[in-house]
Amino acid sequence: SHRAPPPYAIPAGPARYIRPSHSGSADVSPHPASPDMYAVDLRSIAKRYEGHVAVRNLSLQVPKGAVYGLLGPNGAGKTTTIRMLLNIIAPDEGSILINGVPNTAKGILDRVGYLPEERGLYKKMQVRRLLRFLAELKGVGKREADARIDQWLERLDLRTSEKDWGLSKVDELSRGMQQKVQFIGTLLHNPDLVILDEPFSGLDPINAQGLKDTVVDLKRSGKTVIFSTHLMDNAERMCDAVCIIARGEKVLDGAVTAVKAAHGGSHLALALDGASTPAVDAVLADRSLVGRMDDSSRYFEIELAPGADAQLLLRRLVAAGAAIERFERVQPSLHQIFLQKVGATGIEAGMSGHG
């Protein structure tokens, strides 16, 4: 179906290159280097509360024009990091730069759009009036705000030939529609940096896809997008680079392709024609062959045990009567890398948790 053009300007984004680091991850950086080469530059930030360290010595750089994922389990420090970035709370140590300028500088946060994890809208207010109010808070005049509101309502299917939800009160909208309204409020002032905290929470697949499409359009227009998510597959598909945080510390960061390549070499994809059998299960349970496995009934993502031979595993599976549709070396998924680096305590399959 035809989509309306995104309601924002489309400047050319900077070229980027991948610079491998000594840790095996990689940095994604604009080229050539400049003092404001990063949209966000966190330098050794820390935040402590009584008896608890929420963030410990965290440094990361988000290249301009990138989609950057902040991942981590419950209580990892993701939301605390975002709040420090937005100067909602101050770090106890370290510095935070946005476009090369301290985040405490006058006016610097006016170019930032923020969608918090805790949604909050005035329930009895008309949608269009609420959006106009949010736009005016960011310095957008009424006429320009109304034009942008029209474009966004149509872009996100909140205004059609049958219904204009902009004329409804907020509490008359479904939860998914309300989330779209808050998302519009995040973008009305055409920010250069967009920060989305758990943006897919509560969205059905259709609305989630609409949000993903909008993030892609933001990137194409040269915007920088940072989002935290508990859905690893979303991060893997959408992000140029990621940072995984656990217990307030950075576990790894870098370009998604470089992170996966650095952890590759011992991962296999196995697909069976039909359900597994006890004999096949016994082979897959052999810890001299299989170090770690993500079991999805007919599909398995396998990490070989140290020194194990993939061909021997294949021969053992065939001898056990496995009907194999697929058996090949693959790069590990972000989910597998996450489990390897952080562990599975309290983590649901395919998820990293909130926090």
Side-chain angles (χ1 to χ4, degrees):
S1 62
H2 175 70
R3 290 191 323 195
Y8 33 71
I10 306 183
R16 296 192 303 280
Y17 70 102
I18 297 173
R19 182 176 69 249
S21 73
H22 298 299
S23 64
S25 63
D27 300 320
V28 184
S29 307
H31 183 75
S34 64
D36 61 347
M37 61 194 293
Y38 298 116
V40 171
D41 187 356
L42 307 185
R43 302 180 182 180
S44 303
I45 63 170
K47 187 64 183 178
R48 302 179 191 87
Y49 298 98
E50 185 175 353
H52 172 63
V53 179
V55 175
R56 187 193 311 271
N57 194 33
L58 177 63
S59 296
L60 62 86
Q61 290 79 37
V62 180
K64 289 186 176 180
V67 178
Y68 192 93
L70 201 57
L71 315 175
N74 289 331
K78 304 192 304 285
T79 297
T80 300
T81 299
I82 289 174
R83 288 172 176 166
M84 286 191 284
L85 171 60
L86 293 166
N87 200 29
I88 296 172
I89 57 177
D92 297 322
E93 298 174 9
S95 64
I96 300 173
L97 303 178
I98 296 177
N99 292 329
V101 178
N103 69 328
T104 54
K106 181 177 175 61
I108 189 66
L109 293 175
D110 291 343
R111 303 304 310 145
V112 178
Y114 172 47
L115 178 69
E117 182 179 4
E118 303 84 6
R119 313 293 188 240
L121 296 170
Y122 297 108
K123 300 293 186 181
K124 297 300 180 181
M125 201 168 180
Q126 186 196 68
V127 169
R128 188 176 291 276
R129 289 175 181 165
L130 172 62
L131 289 173
R132 188 183 299 140
F133 168 68
L134 294 175
E136 288 174 353
L137 288 177
K138 289 291 190 175
V140 182
K142 180 178 180 300
R143 180 176 297 181
E144 180 62 27
D146 285 342
R148 295 182 186 182
I149 290 167
D150 285 340
Q151 290 177 304
W152 275 113
L153 291 175
E154 291 178 11
R155 172 77 170 81
L156 297 184
D157 297 322
L158 290 174
R159 188 170 93 161
T160 65
S161 57
E162 293 83 24
K163 176 75 172 179
D164 183 355
W165 289 100
L167 301 177
S168 302
K169 291 183 178 179
V170 170
D171 62 2
E172 296 172 8
L173 275 60
S174 69
R175 181 182 176 186
M177 287 180 174
Q178 290 183 28
Q179 199 152 330
K180 287 182 178 181
V181 171
Q182 190 146 352
F183 186 57
I184 292 172
T186 303
L187 300 176
L188 273 178
H189 61 295
N190 192 25
D192 300 317
L193 172 62
V194 180
I195 301 174
L196 310 173
D197 197 355
E198 295 291 349
F200 302 103
S201 176
L203 290 180
D204 61 44
I206 293 175
N207 286 326
Q209 186 59 53
L211 191 149
K212 292 176 189 176
D213 291 342
T214 305
V215 169
V216 170
D217 284 340
L218 288 168
K219 172 182 167 59
R220 287 175 177 164
S221 71
K223 310 297 185 184
T224 304
V225 181
I226 299 174
F227 71 88
S228 71
T229 181
H230 67 283
L231 300 174
M232 284 291 184
D233 59 343
N234 281 344
E236 185 160 348
R237 293 170 185 169
M238 297 177 62
C239 293
D240 301 302
V242 295
C243 177
I244 294 179
I245 303 174
R247 297 172 292 277
E249 296 182 274
K250 180 169 67 177
V251 175
L252 64 81
D253 70 336
V256 170
T257 52
V259 167
K260 293 177 68 174
H263 293 82
S266 62
H267 289 256
L268 303 170
L270 168 67
L272 302 178
D273 184 7
S276 183
T277 65
V280 171
D281 290 342
V283 174
L284 295 175
D286 185 344
R287 286 295 168 256
S288 69
L289 289 172
V290 177
R292 194 190 306 267
M293 181 176 67
D294 190 2
D295 181 354
S296 302
S297 184
R298 289 182 52 249
Y299 177 81
F300 305 84
E301 188 173 350
I302 296 169
E303 181 183 352
L304 290 172
D309 181 2
Q311 294 303 315
L312 175 58
L313 175 60
L314 177 59
R315 289 195 296 271
R316 290 273 304 277
L317 288 169
V318 171
I324 297 174
E325 284 186 345
R326 179 188 181 196
F327 185 91
E328 65 175 320
R329 288 188 180 273
V330 294
Q331 286 188 336
S333 65
L334 275 183
H335 175 59
Q336 279 290 322
I337 295 170
F338 182 89
L339 294 179
Q340 177 184 337
K341 289 289 188 179
V342 178
T345 305
I347 305 300
E348 297 179 39
M351 297 186 180
S352 71
H354 301 269

Short mmCIF file of all heavy atoms in Angstrom, two decimals, residues 176-226:
data_model
loop_
_atom_site.label_atom_id
_atom_site.label_comp_id
_atom_site.label_asym_id
_atom_site.label_seq_id
_atom_site.Cartn_x
_atom_site.Cartn_y
_atom_site.Cartn_z
N GLY A 176 -2.99 0.54 22.05
CA GLY A 176 -2.08 0.66 20.92
C GLY A 176 -2.16 2.03 20.26
O GLY A 176 -1.14 2.61 19.87
N MET A 177 -3.39 2.55 20.13
CA MET A 177 -3.57 3.88 19.55
C MET A 177 -2.95 4.96 20.44
O MET A 177 -2.31 5.89 19.95
CB MET A 177 -5.06 4.17 19.34
CG MET A 177 -5.70 3.42 18.19
SD MET A 177 -7.44 3.84 18.04
CE MET A 177 -7.87 2.96 16.54
N GLN A 178 -3.14 4.83 21.76
CA GLN A 178 -2.55 5.79 22.68
C GLN A 178 -1.02 5.78 22.57
O GLN A 178 -0.38 6.83 22.64
CB GLN A 178 -2.97 5.47 24.11
CG GLN A 178 -4.44 5.75 24.40
CD GLN A 178 -4.80 5.50 25.85
OE1 GLN A 178 -3.98 5.62 26.74
NE2 GLN A 178 -6.07 5.16 26.09
N GLN A 179 -0.47 4.60 22.36
CA GLN A 179 0.99 4.52 22.22
C GLN A 179 1.44 5.23 20.94
O GLN A 179 2.48 5.89 20.91
CB GLN A 179 1.42 3.05 22.18
CG GLN A 179 2.88 2.85 22.50
CD GLN A 179 3.13 1.49 23.12
OE1 GLN A 179 2.27 0.96 23.79
NE2 GLN A 179 4.29 0.94 22.88
N LYS A 180 0.63 5.12 19.88
CA LYS A 180 0.94 5.85 18.65
C LYS A 180 0.92 7.35 18.90
O LYS A 180 1.78 8.09 18.39
CB LYS A 180 -0.06 5.50 17.55
CG LYS A 180 0.09 4.12 16.93
CD LYS A 180 -0.95 3.95 15.85
CE LYS A 180 -0.85 2.62 15.13
NZ LYS A 180 -1.85 2.48 14.06
N VAL A 181 -0.07 7.81 19.67
CA VAL A 181 -0.17 9.24 19.96
C VAL A 181 1.07 9.72 20.71
O VAL A 181 1.64 10.77 20.39
CB VAL A 181 -1.45 9.53 20.78
CG1 VAL A 181 -1.44 10.98 21.29
CG2 VAL A 181 -2.69 9.28 19.93
N GLN A 182 1.52 8.94 21.70
CA GLN A 182 2.70 9.35 22.44
C GLN A 182 3.94 9.32 21.55
O GLN A 182 4.83 10.16 21.68
CB GLN A 182 2.90 8.45 23.66
CG GLN A 182 3.97 8.97 24.61
CD GLN A 182 3.68 8.68 26.06
OE1 GLN A 182 2.60 8.21 26.41
NE2 GLN A 182 4.64 8.96 26.92
N PHE A 183 3.98 8.38 20.64
CA PHE A 183 5.09 8.31 19.68
C PHE A 183 5.09 9.55 18.78
O PHE A 183 6.15 10.14 18.52
CB PHE A 183 4.95 7.03 18.84
CG PHE A 183 6.09 6.77 17.91
CD1 PHE A 183 7.39 6.67 18.37
CD2 PHE A 183 5.86 6.60 16.55
CE1 PHE A 183 8.45 6.41 17.51
CE2 PHE A 183 6.90 6.34 15.68
CZ PHE A 183 8.20 6.25 16.16
N ILE A 184 3.91 9.97 18.33
CA ILE A 184 3.81 11.20 17.53
C ILE A 184 4.32 12.39 18.34
O ILE A 184 5.08 13.22 17.84
CB ILE A 184 2.35 11.44 17.07
CG1 ILE A 184 1.93 10.37 16.06
CG2 ILE A 184 2.20 12.84 16.46
CD1 ILE A 184 0.45 10.43 15.70
N GLY A 185 3.92 12.46 19.62
CA GLY A 185 4.38 13.55 20.47
C GLY A 185 5.89 13.59 20.62
O GLY A 185 6.48 14.65 20.78
N THR A 186 6.52 12.42 20.54
CA THR A 186 7.98 12.34 20.63
C THR A 186 8.65 12.96 19.41
O THR A 186 9.77 13.47 19.51
CB THR A 186 8.40 10.86 20.75
OG1 THR A 186 7.78 10.28 21.89
CG2 THR A 186 9.91 10.70 20.86
N LEU A 187 7.97 12.94 18.26
CA LEU A 187 8.61 13.30 16.99
C LEU A 187 8.13 14.62 16.39
O LEU A 187 8.70 15.09 15.40
CB LEU A 187 8.37 12.18 15.96
CG LEU A 187 8.90 10.80 16.32
CD1 LEU A 187 8.50 9.78 15.25
CD2 LEU A 187 10.41 10.81 16.49
N LEU A 188 7.13 15.25 17.00
CA LEU A 188 6.52 16.44 16.37
C LEU A 188 7.50 17.58 16.18
O LEU A 188 7.36 18.37 15.24
CB LEU A 188 5.34 16.92 17.22
CG LEU A 188 3.97 16.29 16.92
CD1 LEU A 188 2.93 16.85 17.87
CD2 LEU A 188 3.56 16.53 15.47
N HIS A 189 8.49 17.72 17.06
CA HIS A 189 9.42 18.86 16.94
C HIS A 189 10.61 18.51 16.05
O HIS A 189 11.60 19.25 16.02
CB HIS A 189 9.87 19.32 18.32
CG HIS A 189 10.62 18.29 19.11
ND1 HIS A 189 10.04 17.12 19.55
CD2 HIS A 189 11.91 18.25 19.56
CE1 HIS A 189 10.93 16.41 20.22
NE2 HIS A 189 12.08 17.07 20.24
N ASN A 190 10.51 17.38 15.31
CA ASN A 190 11.55 17.00 14.33
C ASN A 190 12.93 16.90 14.98
O ASN A 190 13.89 17.55 14.57
CB ASN A 190 11.58 18.01 13.18
CG ASN A 190 12.41 17.52 12.00
OD1 ASN A 190 12.60 16.32 11.81
ND2 ASN A 190 12.92 18.45 11.22
N PRO A 191 13.05 16.06 16.03
CA PRO A 191 14.33 15.98 16.76
C PRO A 191 15.42 15.30 15.95
O PRO A 191 15.13 14.46 15.08
CB PRO A 191 13.96 15.15 18.00
CG PRO A 191 12.83 14.29 17.55
CD PRO A 191 12.04 15.13 16.59
N ASP A 192 16.66 15.64 16.24
CA ASP A 192 17.80 14.98 15.59
C ASP A 192 18.13 13.65 16.26
O ASP A 192 18.63 12.73 15.61
CB ASP A 192 19.03 15.90 15.66
CG ASP A 192 18.81 17.21 14.95
OD1 ASP A 192 18.22 17.19 13.85
OD2 ASP A 192 19.20 18.27 15.51
N LEU A 193 17.86 13.56 17.57
CA LEU A 193 18.12 12.36 18.35
C LEU A 193 16.81 11.89 18.95
O LEU A 193 16.11 12.64 19.62
CB LEU A 193 19.14 12.64 19.47
CG LEU A 193 19.38 11.54 20.50
CD1 LEU A 193 19.94 10.28 19.84
CD2 LEU A 193 20.31 12.04 21.60
N VAL A 194 16.46 10.62 18.70
CA VAL A 194 15.20 10.04 19.18
C VAL A 194 15.55 8.89 20.13
O VAL A 194 16.29 7.98 19.75
CB VAL A 194 14.33 9.53 18.02
CG1 VAL A 194 13.04 8.92 18.55
CG2 VAL A 194 14.04 10.66 17.04
N ILE A 195 15.01 8.94 21.35
CA ILE A 195 15.29 7.91 22.35
C ILE A 195 13.98 7.23 22.71
O ILE A 195 13.03 7.88 23.17
CB ILE A 195 15.93 8.52 23.61
CG1 ILE A 195 17.25 9.21 23.22
CG2 ILE A 195 16.18 7.46 24.66
CD1 ILE A 195 17.89 9.97 24.37
N LEU A 196 13.91 5.93 22.50
CA LEU A 196 12.70 5.15 22.70
C LEU A 196 12.98 4.07 23.74
O LEU A 196 13.78 3.17 23.51
CB LEU A 196 12.25 4.50 21.38
CG LEU A 196 12.17 5.42 20.14
CD1 LEU A 196 11.88 4.60 18.89
CD2 LEU A 196 11.10 6.49 20.35
N ASP A 197 12.31 4.16 24.88
CA ASP A 197 12.52 3.19 25.96
C ASP A 197 11.41 2.14 25.89
O ASP A 197 10.24 2.44 26.13
CB ASP A 197 12.49 3.91 27.31
CG ASP A 197 13.09 3.08 28.43
OD1 ASP A 197 13.44 1.91 28.18
OD2 ASP A 197 13.22 3.59 29.56
N GLU A 198 11.76 0.91 25.53
CA GLU A 198 10.81 -0.19 25.35
C GLU A 198 9.65 0.22 24.43
O GLU A 198 8.49 0.14 24.82
CB GLU A 198 10.28 -0.66 26.71
CG GLU A 198 11.33 -1.28 27.61
CD GLU A 198 11.84 -2.63 27.10
OE1 GLU A 198 11.24 -3.19 26.17
OE2 GLU A 198 12.84 -3.12 27.64
N PRO A 199 9.93 0.64 23.20
CA PRO A 199 8.87 1.18 22.35
C PRO A 199 7.86 0.14 21.87
O PRO A 199 6.75 0.50 21.50
CB PRO A 199 9.64 1.76 21.16
CG PRO A 199 10.90 0.95 21.10
CD PRO A 199 11.25 0.66 22.53
N PHE A 200 8.23 -1.14 21.86
CA PHE A 200 7.34 -2.16 21.32
C PHE A 200 6.43 -2.77 22.38
O PHE A 200 5.59 -3.62 22.07
CB PHE A 200 8.17 -3.28 20.66
CG PHE A 200 9.05 -2.76 19.55
CD1 PHE A 200 10.41 -2.60 19.76
CD2 PHE A 200 8.52 -2.42 18.33
CE1 PHE A 200 11.23 -2.12 18.75
CE2 PHE A 200 9.32 -1.92 17.31
CZ PHE A 200 10.68 -1.78 17.52
N SER A 201 6.58 -2.35 23.62
CA SER A 201 5.78 -2.90 24.72
C SER A 201 4.30 -2.63 24.49
O SER A 201 3.87 -1.49 24.33
CB SER A 201 6.23 -2.29 26.05
OG SER A 201 5.43 -2.75 27.10
N GLY A 202 3.50 -3.70 24.47
CA GLY A 202 2.05 -3.55 24.35
C GLY A 202 1.53 -3.39 22.94
O GLY A 202 0.31 -3.25 22.76
N LEU A 203 2.40 -3.39 21.94
CA LEU A 203 1.95 -3.23 20.56
C LEU A 203 1.66 -4.58 19.92
O LEU A 203 2.42 -5.54 20.10
CB LEU A 203 3.00 -2.49 19.72
CG LEU A 203 3.22 -1.02 20.01
CD1 LEU A 203 4.29 -0.46 19.08
CD2 LEU A 203 1.93 -0.22 19.86
N ASP A 204 0.55 -4.66 19.16
CA ASP A 204 0.28 -5.87 18.40
C ASP A 204 1.22 -5.90 17.19
O ASP A 204 1.88 -4.91 16.88
CB ASP A 204 -1.19 -5.95 17.98
CG ASP A 204 -1.62 -4.78 17.09
OD1 ASP A 204 -0.86 -4.42 16.16
OD2 ASP A 204 -2.70 -4.23 17.31
N PRO A 205 1.31 -7.05 16.49
CA PRO A 205 2.29 -7.15 15.38
C PRO A 205 2.13 -6.10 14.30
O PRO A 205 3.13 -5.61 13.75
CB PRO A 205 2.02 -8.56 14.83
CG PRO A 205 1.50 -9.34 16.01
CD PRO A 205 0.69 -8.35 16.79
N ILE A 206 0.90 -5.70 13.98
CA ILE A 206 0.69 -4.71 12.92
C ILE A 206 1.22 -3.35 13.35
O ILE A 206 1.94 -2.67 12.61
CB ILE A 206 -0.81 -4.63 12.55
CG1 ILE A 206 -1.26 -5.94 11.89
CG2 ILE A 206 -1.06 -3.45 11.61
CD1 ILE A 206 -2.75 -6.00 11.60
N ASN A 207 0.86 -2.92 14.58
CA ASN A 207 1.34 -1.63 15.06
C ASN A 207 2.84 -1.64 15.30
O ASN A 207 3.53 -0.63 15.08
CB ASN A 207 0.60 -1.24 16.34
CG ASN A 207 -0.82 -0.79 16.07
OD1 ASN A 207 -1.10 -0.18 15.04
ND2 ASN A 207 -1.73 -1.09 16.98
N ALA A 208 3.38 -2.79 15.76
CA ALA A 208 4.83 -2.89 15.95
C ALA A 208 5.55 -2.73 14.62
O ALA A 208 6.60 -2.06 14.55
CB ALA A 208 5.18 -4.23 16.59
N GLN A 209 5.00 -3.30 13.55
CA GLN A 209 5.62 -3.16 12.24
C GLN A 209 5.57 -1.71 11.77
O GLN A 209 6.53 -1.21 11.17
CB GLN A 209 4.93 -4.07 11.22
CG GLN A 209 5.60 -4.08 9.85
CD GLN A 209 7.04 -4.54 9.91
OE1 GLN A 209 7.33 -5.61 10.47
NE2 GLN A 209 7.96 -3.76 9.37
N GLY A 210 4.46 -1.02 12.05
CA GLY A 210 4.37 0.39 11.70
C GLY A 210 5.43 1.22 12.40
O GLY A 210 6.02 2.14 11.80
N LEU A 211 5.69 0.91 13.67
CA LEU A 211 6.73 1.62 14.41
C LEU A 211 8.11 1.32 13.82
O LEU A 211 8.94 2.22 13.66
CB LEU A 211 6.67 1.24 15.88
CG LEU A 211 7.51 2.07 16.86
CD1 LEU A 211 6.85 2.14 18.22
CD2 LEU A 211 8.92 1.51 17.00
N LYS A 212 8.35 0.04 13.48
CA LYS A 212 9.63 -0.33 12.87
C LYS A 212 9.84 0.43 11.57
O LYS A 212 10.94 0.92 11.29
CB LYS A 212 9.68 -1.84 12.61
CG LYS A 212 9.73 -2.68 13.86
CD LYS A 212 9.67 -4.17 13.48
CE LYS A 212 9.50 -5.04 14.70
NZ LYS A 212 9.34 -6.47 14.34
N ASP A 213 8.78 0.51 10.75
CA ASP A 213 8.89 1.23 9.47
C ASP A 213 9.26 2.70 9.71
O ASP A 213 10.06 3.28 8.96
CB ASP A 213 7.57 1.16 8.70
CG ASP A 213 7.26 -0.25 8.18
OD1 ASP A 213 8.19 -1.08 8.12
OD2 ASP A 213 6.08 -0.50 7.86
N THR A 214 8.67 3.29 10.76
CA THR A 214 8.96 4.69 11.06
C THR A 214 10.40 4.86 11.52
O THR A 214 11.08 5.84 11.15
CB THR A 214 7.99 5.21 12.13
OG1 THR A 214 6.65 5.01 11.70
CG2 THR A 214 8.22 6.69 12.38
N VAL A 215 10.91 3.92 12.32
CA VAL A 215 12.31 3.99 12.75
C VAL A 215 13.24 3.92 11.54
O VAL A 215 14.23 4.65 11.45
CB VAL A 215 12.62 2.85 13.75
CG1 VAL A 215 14.12 2.76 14.00
CG2 VAL A 215 11.89 3.10 15.07
N VAL A 216 12.91 3.04 10.59
CA VAL A 216 13.72 2.95 9.36
C VAL A 216 13.69 4.27 8.61
O VAL A 216 14.73 4.74 8.12
CB VAL A 216 13.20 1.80 8.47
CG1 VAL A 216 13.87 1.84 7.10
CG2 VAL A 216 13.46 0.45 9.13
N ASP A 217 12.52 4.90 8.52
CA ASP A 217 12.42 6.20 7.84
C ASP A 217 13.23 7.28 8.57
O ASP A 217 13.85 8.14 7.94
CB ASP A 217 10.96 6.63 7.73
CG ASP A 217 10.20 5.87 6.65
OD1 ASP A 217 10.87 5.30 5.76
OD2 ASP A 217 8.96 5.83 6.70
N LEU A 218 13.20 7.25 9.91
CA LEU A 218 14.00 8.21 10.68
C LEU A 218 15.48 8.05 10.35
O LEU A 218 16.19 9.04 10.15
CB LEU A 218 13.76 8.00 12.17
CG LEU A 218 12.40 8.43 12.72
CD1 LEU A 218 12.21 7.88 14.14
CD2 LEU A 218 12.26 9.94 12.72
N LYS A 219 15.94 6.83 10.30
CA LYS A 219 17.35 6.58 9.97
C LYS A 219 17.67 7.09 8.56
O LYS A 219 18.70 7.73 8.34
CB LYS A 219 17.66 5.08 10.07
CG LYS A 219 19.04 4.70 9.57
CD LYS A 219 19.26 3.20 9.67
CE LYS A 219 20.51 2.77 8.88
NZ LYS A 219 21.73 3.43 9.34
N ARG A 220 16.79 6.82 7.62
CA ARG A 220 17.02 7.25 6.24
C ARG A 220 17.09 8.77 6.14
O ARG A 220 17.74 9.31 5.26
CB ARG A 220 15.92 6.71 5.33
CG ARG A 220 16.03 5.22 5.05
CD ARG A 220 14.85 4.72 4.26
NE ARG A 220 14.98 3.30 3.93
CZ ARG A 220 13.98 2.53 3.52
NH1 ARG A 220 12.75 3.04 3.41
NH2 ARG A 220 14.19 1.26 3.25
N SER A 221 16.40 9.46 7.06
CA SER A 221 16.41 10.93 7.02
C SER A 221 17.58 11.51 7.80
O SER A 221 17.66 12.73 7.96
CB SER A 221 15.08 11.46 7.58
OG SER A 221 15.01 11.26 8.97
N GLY A 222 18.48 10.65 8.29
CA GLY A 222 19.67 11.14 8.97
C GLY A 222 19.53 11.29 10.46
O GLY A 222 20.46 11.78 11.12
N LYS A 223 18.39 10.87 11.03
CA LYS A 223 18.21 10.95 12.47
C LYS A 223 19.00 9.84 13.16
O LYS A 223 19.32 8.81 12.57
CB LYS A 223 16.73 10.82 12.84
CG LYS A 223 15.80 11.74 12.07
CD LYS A 223 16.07 13.20 12.33
CE LYS A 223 15.03 14.07 11.62
NZ LYS A 223 15.33 15.51 11.78
N THR A 224 19.27 10.04 14.44
CA THR A 224 19.87 9.01 15.28
C THR A 224 18.80 8.47 16.21
O THR A 224 18.06 9.24 16.83
CB THR A 224 21.02 9.59 16.12
OG1 THR A 224 21.97 10.21 15.25
CG2 THR A 224 21.71 8.50 16.93
N VAL A 225 18.69 7.15 16.29
CA VAL A 225 17.66 6.51 17.11
C VAL A 225 18.34 5.59 18.12
O VAL A 225 19.14 4.73 17.74
CB VAL A 225 16.66 5.72 16.26
CG1 VAL A 225 15.59 5.08 17.16
CG2 VAL A 225 16.01 6.59 15.21
N ILE A 226 18.03 5.78 19.39
CA ILE A 226 18.47 4.88 20.45
C ILE A 226 17.22 4.23 21.03
O ILE A 226 16.27 4.94 21.39
CB ILE A 226 19.22 5.62 21.57
CG1 ILE A 226 20.47 6.31 21.02
CG2 ILE A 226 19.59 4.66 22.70
CD1 ILE A 226 21.17 7.18 22.05
#
